[in-house]
Amino acid sequence: MGKLYEHLDELENQSIFIIREAFNKFENLAMLWSIGKDSNVLLWLIRKAFFGHVPFPVVHVDTNYKIPEMIEFRDRLAREWGFELVVGQNKKALLAGNTFPNGKATRVECCSLLKTEALQELIAQKGYEAILLGIRRDEEGTRAKERYFSPRKQSFEWDFRDQPPELWDQFKTDFEPGTHLRVHPLLHWTEVNVWEYIERENIPVVSLYFAQNGGRYRSLGCAPCTSRVPSNATTVAEIVAELKQTRIAERSTRAQDQEAEDAFERLRAQGYM
Amino acid sequence: MAKRAVHREDEPLKNLAGETLSSRPLRIVIVGHVDHGKSTLVGRLFYDTGSLPEGKFEQIQAVCQKRGCAFEWAFLMDALQAERDQNITIETSQIWFKTRLRPYVIIDAPGHKEFLKNMVTGAAGAHAAFLLIAADEGVQEQSRRHGYLLSLLGVRQVSVLVNKMDLVGYSQETFDSIVRDYQVFLNELGVEPRSFIPISARNGDNVADHAEAVMPWYRGLNAIEALDSFELPAAKHDLPLRFPVQDIYRFDHRRIVAGRIESGTLRVGDRLVFSPDGKESVIKSIEVWNGPSRQTARAGESVGITLSEQIFIERGHIASHEQHPPQCSRHLQARLFWMGRRPLEIGRRVKVKLATQESECELASIERVVDSSTLELLGTERRQVARNEIAEVTLETRSPVAFDAYEQIPALGRFVIVDQYDLAGGGIILGNALQPRQALPGKLFVGRVSPDERARAHGHQGALLWISGGSKELKKQVVEALDRSLFSRNVQTIILDESTIDSSLHGSLPSQPAGDRLLFGLLLASGFAAAGLVVLAILEDGTHELREKCRKKIESLSGVFVHIHLKPEQPDSHSEFADVLVEPSKSVEDSVLQILERILPEIKYKSKKWFYEI
Ligand SMILES: Nc1nc2c(ncn2[C@@H]2O[C@H](COP(=O)(O)OP(=O)(O)OP(=O)(O)O)[C@@H](O)[C@H]2O)c(=O)[nH]1
Ligand SMILES: [Mg+2]
C-alpha cells in the first residue's frame, strides 16, 4: 500500500488480530454500534477479519434522543450488510421521563441511565461475555489509560486502579464468572487515522459529519448534548486535511464531558463506554 | 516561556536527506523512578512544540488553581482524580505526537513500585525509551529496575535523561556522577544507552531547545532530537516464517486458516509444516475480502489462507517452512518476570501462553533468582519466585510447545503466565531445557525387555549413583575402588565421567548453553541405569531440584537412585541433601565400604511388581 498508508496497514492488522482473539475466546460476543464513524470502522474491520461476514450480533443502545438520520442509516446498513441488529433501550427511564431534556436528570445522570444502564441490562439479558467497542485512546484522558481487553465487574465498574497487565498481545481472556469484558480493537487509532481509513476503504458514514452551512458534527451523540463545530469540510479528504491542522479536542462538543473536572471519569468508572 | 515550535505542519514526512519516511509511528515509553518527572516531561514536550489541544493549557491552569497547587505539567497525562490528588501516575497513558520527522506514540509509565505491572504494560510494546533520573535524587531503585525490565522486554534503544537540573544549579559534576553511576549498571545489563541528556522538564531546558544559557557545558542532543534519532525496528520479513494459527473459519464452503504472520513471508504454493504435530500441507490461496487477490503475505499481516490438502490443525499450531521449523519441547529454559500477588512456587500448575499456544505448565526448577533492582543474586536454591523478582527457570509444559529462542525470533520466544484468572508473569525463552524426563523417550533404551527381566538376569537392579563433591582426584580414586568391589560382587557397572561427556558433546553439539553437559550426562546415565547397569556417574552437583527430578525418573523406571556426596573441607549446601555423605577424613577404603553398605541392599534383586512405562 506504499509508505503513505503504511501506518493504516499496521493499525488494521492489529485490530483484526484483536477482533479474532475476542471471537475465538468468547462464545457469546457482540459488538456495540453507536452508528458513529469509529464503530463504522470497527464494523468494517470485523467484515475484513471474517471475510465479509459479521459472525455475531451488533448491538445498538438507543437513547431515543439520537438524531433521526442515524437511525435510518443504522437500519439501512443492517439490511445491506446483512448482520443481526439488536436494539436495547432503558424503557423504564424513558417512560418515567428521567432524562436531561425533560429536566429530570443532569446530563451525566441521563448518560448513565440511557446508555450505561441500558447496556448493562442488555448484557445481562443476552448473557454476552464480551462486547467489542470502538473507543480510542486519543479521545480523552481516561480512555488513554484503557486496555484492549478490559474486565468489568458484575456491578459494571471499571477498576482503573487495578487493571490487568497486557503485554506482547497476550490479553486477559480468563475471568471470574459474573464479570465480563470490554474489548477495544480501535484503542490505538487516532481520529485522523479513522478518517484516513474511511477515505482509503470508502466506508459509509452518516452525512452529519460533513459540513452544512459552515458547521459539521465531529462526534455524534444525542441531539440535545452534541453540537457542531465550525467547518467547511464536505468530503472525507477535506475532513482529514482539517483534522491535521486543528488543535481543538474532538469531544469538546460533547456537553456531558465538560460539566466538571472529573465528570467523564465518574461516568466511565460506572461503566460508560 | 515561548519555545521553538517544531511541527504540526501537514507535510509528507522526510528525513534530513529528503527521503520520505514511513508513516508508522515510533512508540516511545518514558520510564524511571517515581516523581522523577516523566509526566512533566510529556506535558512540557507538548507545550514547547505547540502540540497541546486548544484550551488545554488554560484548563490545567484552572484545575491547578482550584486545587491550590502550582502549575503541574503532569496533569496533561495524569487525568485520573486519584492521580492528580496524589500527584502520582497510576496507569500508563498513551498520547500521539509529531515532530517534523515522524509521528510518535508517547507512552507515559508510572514510576511507583506498586504499579510496576502498568509500567510493564506500557514498555512491552515500545520501540525506544527515555529513562529519567532526577538530578537531586540520583539513581534510585526503580531507575535500575526499569532499566533491567527494558532489557528484558526487548527495548534496546534507550536515552537517559537526567532531569531537574534546575534543582542542582545545573551542575555538570552532578550530571557526570549520575552518568557514571548509571553507566556501570547498564554495562552489567549489556545495554548501551544512546545518549545522556541533562534537562529540566519543568523549565523546558534541553527539551525542545538548547539550554546553552544555563548549561553551556552541554553540547549534545536535546530531548526532541534524541527522539528523532531513534529508529523504527526493521520489518521481520527476512526471518524464518512463523505463522501461528489463531483460528479456523468455515465461510462460504472454504476452510480458512486465520492468523497473523509473526515473521517471514508466505506465498501461494509454499509447503507448510505445522508444529508441534509436524503435519504438512500446501498453501492453496491467500484469502482476501474487498481487495485485489494476492500471492504473498508478510510479517505483521493478519491473513487467512486455505490449504490444498485438508489436515487437522487448530489454534496454537505454528506454521513454518520445512527448512526452518521452530523448536519443540516440553521444557523451556526461560527468564521470568513475576507480577503476581502470590509467588510462583516450584511444582505449582499455571498456564503458559506463547503466541496462540496455551498449555498447562509447572515451574519445574529455579536456577537463580535476581533482585530486579540491584541485580543482586537472591539465591540458587530458591523454591519460589516472588512479585517483582526476575528468575531463570525451567518450565515444564503438559504438552510440547513450539518456540524459538527470544534472540532469534522474538514473537515466538516470549510468553506470559496466567495464574488462575490473572496474567501474572512474563518471560523470554533462552533455550530448550533438555531435561532427563523429556530426554528419556522409551525407545531410547527400554525395548521390550522389562526391568524385572533385566534385574533377574543381572541379579540386581539398575542404579544411578550420582557422585559429587570432593576433589577430582579423590572422586576418581573412590569411583575406581567402588567399581572394583562392585565388579567382584558380579554387579554390572559402568563409569560415566564428565570428561567423557565433554568429549562426546564437543564434536556433535557445539555451543550448548551451560548446564547441557550435565543434562546430557543424566540422559546417558539414566539410559544405562534403565538397561540394568549400575552407573557410577561423576557429575557436577546440579541443583537439588534437578537431582530430585532425576531420582523420580529413575525410580519410575524401577531403578535405584543414590546421591553420594564426598564432603569437602568447607561443607557446601549439597551436603545437607545427600543420601550418603562421606566425611573428608575417611580413607578411600572406608569410603567405599560406607557406600557399599548403603547401596547393596538397595540394588539387590527382589521380586516385585514393576511399574513399566513404554
Ligand atoms: N524543579 C523541578 N521539578 C520538576 C521537574 N520535573 C518535574 N518536576 C516536579 O516533580 C514532581 C513529579 O513530577 P511528575 O512528572 O509527576 O513525575 P513522574 O515521574 O511522572 O511521577 P510518577 O509517574 O508518579 O512516577 C512534580 O511536582 C513536578 O512538578 C524539573 O525539571 N524541575
Ligand atoms: Mg507520571
Side-chain angles (χ1 to χ4, degrees):
Chain A
M1 269 293 167
K3 296 235 171 198
L4 207 57
Y5 277 132
E6 242 182 331
H7 64 295
L8 294 184
D9 293 332
E10 187 174 81
L11 298 170
E12 178 190 78
N13 281 311
Q14 175 73 359
S15 298
I16 290 177
F17 181 79
I18 292 164
I19 291 164
R20 287 175 172 174
E21 279 301 279
F23 182 59
N24 178 275
K25 290 295 178 182
F26 304 109
E27 297 269 312
N28 203 348
L29 178 69
M31 174 197 145
L32 190 66
W33 187 25
S34 73
I35 318 169
K37 59 189 186 302
D38 305 304
S39 47
N40 287 7
V41 165
L42 178 56
L43 197 46
W44 187 265
L45 287 164
I46 289 170
R47 296 172 84 209
K48 266 210 174 172
F50 305 114
F51 306 95
H53 299 261
V54 180
F56 39 79
V58 174
V59 169
H60 177 231
V61 173
D62 190 353
T63 59
N64 210 28
Y65 287 103
K66 295 281 171 194
I67 303 162
E69 197 206 313
M70 294 169 72
I71 303 300
E72 282 157 36
F73 180 88
R74 176 190 80 187
D75 296 339
R76 181 167 57 81
L77 224 59
R79 259 195 326 275
E80 286 174 9
W81 289 1
F83 52 80
E84 183 190 343
L85 178 67
V86 175
V87 177
Q89 203 167 51
N90 189 346
K91 295 223 168 65
K92 229 191 294 165
L94 284 171
L95 273 177
N98 291 331
T99 68
F100 170 71
N102 279 344
K104 289 217 226 156
T106 65
R107 288 184 204 271
V108 170
E109 283 163 0
C110 185
C111 265
S112 28
L113 283 168
L114 297 189
K115 293 192 189 168
T116 317
E117 277 189 22
L119 176 63
Q120 192 169 3
E121 219 176 273
L122 197 67
I123 288 178
Q125 184 197 333
K126 299 276 182 181
Y128 297 131
E129 296 166 285
I131 298 276
L132 294 166
L133 271 157
I135 65 161
R136 306 187 323 267
R137 284 196 178 114
D138 78 326
E139 286 179 273
E140 49 80 40
T142 67
R143 285 181 179 152
K145 295 175 183 288
E146 273 282 5
R147 298 283 194 263
Y148 285 122
F149 282 59
S150 176
R152 301 302 157 116
K153 297 180 182 154
Q154 201 144 26
S155 57
F156 226 53
E157 270 163 55
W158 178 40
D159 186 0
F160 49 75
R161 278 187 197 78
D162 188 21
Q163 300 196 76
E166 193 165 80
L167 59 154
W168 299 328
D169 284 342
Q170 297 289 359
F171 308 113
K172 183 173 173 82
T173 50
D174 304 87
F175 57 98
E176 281 166 70
T179 55
H180 80 282
L181 270 136
R182 300 274 181 88
V183 182
H184 305 131
L186 296 186
L187 211 51
H188 54 296
W189 294 53
T190 65
E191 186 187 10
V192 177
N193 296 154
V194 165
W195 284 108
E196 287 171 327
Y197 192 69
I198 288 171
E199 186 184 20
R200 185 178 94 171
E201 303 281 316
N202 213 354
I203 301 170
V205 289
V206 288
S207 67
L208 296 160
Y209 284 113
F210 302 106
Q212 265 183 346
N213 308 322
R216 68 176 195 92
Y217 286 94
R218 220 173 130 187
S219 172
L220 285 178
C222 298
C225 295
T226 319
S227 54
R228 304 191 314 160
V229 291
S231 166
N232 293 314
T234 54
T235 64
V236 178
E238 282 169 13
I239 291 177
V240 172
E242 177 190 288
L243 291 175
K244 284 186 173 172
Q245 297 299 336
T246 189
R247 286 180 46 212
I248 297 171
E250 181 181 3
R251 291 183 64 92
S252 59
T253 53
R254 299 290 286 268
Q256 72 269 33
D257 299 18
Q258 319 300 332
E259 290 212 320
E261 183 191 339
D262 62 341
F264 201 64
E265 176 180 337
R266 276 186 280 127
L267 257 180
R268 297 213 66 235
Q270 288 160 18
Y272 184 80
M273 303 76 187
Chain B
M1 268 231 253
K3 300 281 163 151
R4 203 171 58 161
V6 198
H7 23 164
R8 306 272 333 160
E9 293 114 73
D10 182 31
E11 54 185 36
L13 303 157
K14 293 187 194 307
N15 67 9
L16 296 176
E19 299 156 321
T20 306
L21 291 173
S22 164
S23 55
R24 289 163 56 213
L26 185 135
R27 287 193 295 274
I28 167 119
V29 67
I30 319 247
V31 298
H33 197 74
V34 64
D35 260 0
H36 280 197
K38 300 176 287 296
S39 305
T40 304
L41 173 66
V42 180
R44 193 68 213 212
L45 267 178
F46 268 68
Y47 180 76
D48 287 357
T49 56
S51 315
L52 283 178
E54 199 161 281
K56 193 73 196 179
F57 183 83
E58 292 73 17
Q59 192 192 330
I60 294 175
Q61 214 164 27
V63 166
C64 292
Q65 252 158 29
K66 206 165 68 197
R67 289 169 172 268
C69 64
F71 187 85
E72 272 300 348
W73 294 104
F75 282 9
L76 174 66
M77 301 305 277
D78 294 342
L80 301 175
Q81 293 303 300
E83 293 179 320
R84 291 181 176 180
D85 291 347
Q86 295 176 36
N87 219 333
I88 196 173
T89 304
I90 295 174
E91 186 53 87
T92 291
S93 307
Q94 304 198 0
I95 192 163
W96 279 256
F97 179 75
K98 208 165 122 189
T99 65
R100 194 187 294 277
L101 191 66
R102 69 171 154 224
Y104 291 92
V105 176
I106 298 186
I107 306 163
D108 181 34
H112 196 287
K113 188 176 175 181
E114 190 61 31
F115 309 123
L116 210 60
K117 64 178 166 52
N118 300 340
M119 176 271 173
V120 168
T121 299
H127 302 128
F130 275 167
L131 193 144
L132 263 70
I133 301 175
D136 58 331
E137 289 190 20
V139 178
Q140 295 292 312
E141 186 182 336
Q142 308 312 317
S143 323
R144 287 187 297 255
R145 179 169 282 127
H146 285 190
Y148 194 172
L149 284 171
L150 288 177
S151 83
L152 182 82
L153 293 167
V155 184
R156 296 286 147 81
Q157 309 185 77
V158 183
S159 273
V160 179
L161 310 191
V162 178
N163 186 32
K164 306 199 187 181
M165 287 300 292
D166 55 305
L167 293 185
V168 297
Y170 298 103
S171 146
Q172 183 176 10
E173 285 90 289
T174 310
F175 175 73
D176 287 344
S177 99
I178 289 172
V179 170
R180 265 195 309 276
D181 267 14
Y182 203 64
Q183 187 92 58
V184 168
F185 177 79
L186 288 181
N187 284 349
E188 276 184 66
L189 292 175
V191 173
E192 190 52 55
R194 292 298 184 91
S195 46
F196 282 91
I197 307 174
I199 64 164
S200 167
R202 184 185 270 174
N203 298 348
D205 298 315
N206 285 338
V207 173
D209 72 353
H210 288 273
E212 283 122 359
V214 285
M215 289 178 272
W217 47 268
Y218 179 75
R219 301 244 150 248
L221 305 177
N222 65 27
I224 295 263
E225 289 161 348
L227 208 53
D228 282 346
S229 74
F230 292 127
E231 291 126 42
L232 271 175
K236 311 254 182 336
H237 306 155
D238 299 332
L239 291 174
L241 173 69
R242 296 292 180 263
F243 176 53
V245 177
Q246 193 176 7
D247 215 335
I248 310 283
Y249 305 134
R250 266 178 195 288
F251 288 128
D252 315 312
H253 315 292
R254 286 163 306 169
R255 192 159 163 267
I256 301 173
V257 182
R260 181 170 64 189
I261 304 171
E262 297 294 352
S263 63
T265 301
L266 57 75
R267 287 174 199 80
V268 172
D270 282 359
R271 173 162 289 276
L272 297 181
V273 184
F274 291 86
S275 299
D277 286 12
K279 295 202 178 95
E280 296 184 14
S281 192
V282 171
I283 302 176
K284 187 166 138 204
S285 67
I286 295 172
E287 293 296 308
V288 180
W289 174 75
N290 196 46
S293 78
R294 43 197 308 201
Q295 295 296 305
T296 65
R298 306 193 299 178
E301 293 189 76
S302 285
V303 297
I305 58 170
T306 62
L307 299 171
S308 49
E309 302 121 73
Q310 295 312 316
I311 52 172
F312 175 76
I313 44 173
E314 57 183 346
R315 178 182 166 94
H317 288 171
I318 311 288
S320 66
H321 291 125
E322 284 171 289
Q323 309 86 316
H324 298 290
Q327 303 188 55
C328 289
S329 173
R330 287 181 46 233
H331 299 86
L332 308 177
Q333 200 191 336
R335 188 167 297 135
L336 174 73
F337 170 61
W338 193 247
M339 297 176 274
R341 282 202 185 83
R342 63 173 178 159
L344 180 62
E345 305 91 7
I346 286 180
R348 195 144 69 75
R349 293 216 155 260
V350 287
K351 183 164 76 177
V352 63
K353 287 177 153 187
L354 196 166
T356 54
Q357 303 172 95
E358 287 181 23
S359 175
E360 221 180 87
C361 83
E362 69 173 65
L363 181 59
S365 64
I366 298 173
E367 274 67 63
R368 51 198 228 113
V369 179
V370 170
D371 181 307
S372 56
S373 163
T374 58
L375 300 189
E376 186 192 335
L377 186 65
L378 296 177
T380 52
E381 293 274 346
R382 285 272 297 260
R383 312 265 328 148
Q384 61 175 43
V385 187
R387 191 169 178 206
N388 296 345
E389 285 176 350
I390 294 178
E392 270 166 40
V393 300
T394 302
L395 295 174
E396 185 174 329
T397 58
R398 182 170 231 169
S399 45
V401 293
F403 65 92
D404 292 280
Y406 179 78
E407 290 301 330
Q408 269 130 37
I409 303 181
L412 266 286
R414 58 196 180 198
F415 61 87
V416 298
I417 297 225
V418 178
D419 189 3
Q420 277 195 317
Y421 301 115
D422 298 323
L423 201 157
I428 57 173
I429 297 178
L430 307 170
N432 181 353
L434 182 69
Q435 289 286 12
R437 235 188 273 196
Q438 177 235 3
L440 285 174
K443 64 186 174 209
L444 178 74
F445 58 92
V446 199
R448 298 263 161 221
V449 184
S450 72
D452 190 22
E453 290 172 272
R454 290 185 195 276
R456 201 180 309 131
H458 290 146
H460 62 80
Q461 295 171 65
L464 172 53
L465 311 184
W466 180 321
I467 300 157
S468 64
S471 68
K472 237 187 170 144
E473 189 49 36
L474 180 66
K475 265 189 290 207
K476 187 163 169 263
Q477 288 173 7
V478 171
V479 164
E480 280 176 351
L482 187 59
D483 185 37
R484 170 61 61 191
S485 32
L486 285 170
F487 179 76
S488 61
R489 287 173 172 81
N490 282 331
V491 175
Q492 314 286 316
T493 57
I494 180 168
I495 298 174
L496 200 66
D497 180 12
E498 275 178 45
S499 61
T500 321
I501 299 158
D502 248 352
S503 59
S504 67
L505 263 184
H506 196 66
S508 56
L509 300 165
S511 70
Q512 289 301 300
D516 268 13
R517 177 174 60 173
L518 176 58
L519 295 171
F520 189 60
L522 289 178
L523 160 72
L524 279 182
S526 309
F528 292 143
L533 305 180
V534 172
V535 188
L536 312 183
I538 305 173
L539 294 167
E540 58 190 272
D541 284 305
T543 60
H544 178 57
E545 226 51 61
L546 186 60
R547 285 195 298 270
E548 284 320 292
K549 270 192 132 174
C550 194
R551 179 194 306 278
K552 255 199 244 158
K553 181 67 208 168
I554 299 282
E555 284 175 359
S556 79
L557 295 163
S558 312
V560 172
F561 179 93
V562 182
H563 175 210
I564 298 157
H565 193 62
L566 309 179
K567 197 168 162 185
E569 295 298 341
Q570 297 289 321
D572 55 11
S573 63
H574 303 286
S575 304
E576 98 184 71
F577 296 110
D579 300 310
V580 180
L581 187 61
V582 182
E583 288 300 328
S585 52
K586 276 198 177 166
S587 68
V588 171
E589 287 74 16
D590 285 348
S591 305
V592 169
L593 275 179
Q594 186 193 347
I595 296 168
L596 288 177
E597 265 167 35
R598 166 69 193 262
I599 60 168
L600 284 176
E602 286 220 46
I603 63 169
K604 198 175 82 177
Y605 173 70
K606 43 195 178 250
S607 181
K608 79 172 197 197
K609 236 181 157 354
W610 302 100
F611 167 70
Y612 183 55
E613 63 165 26
I614 195 160

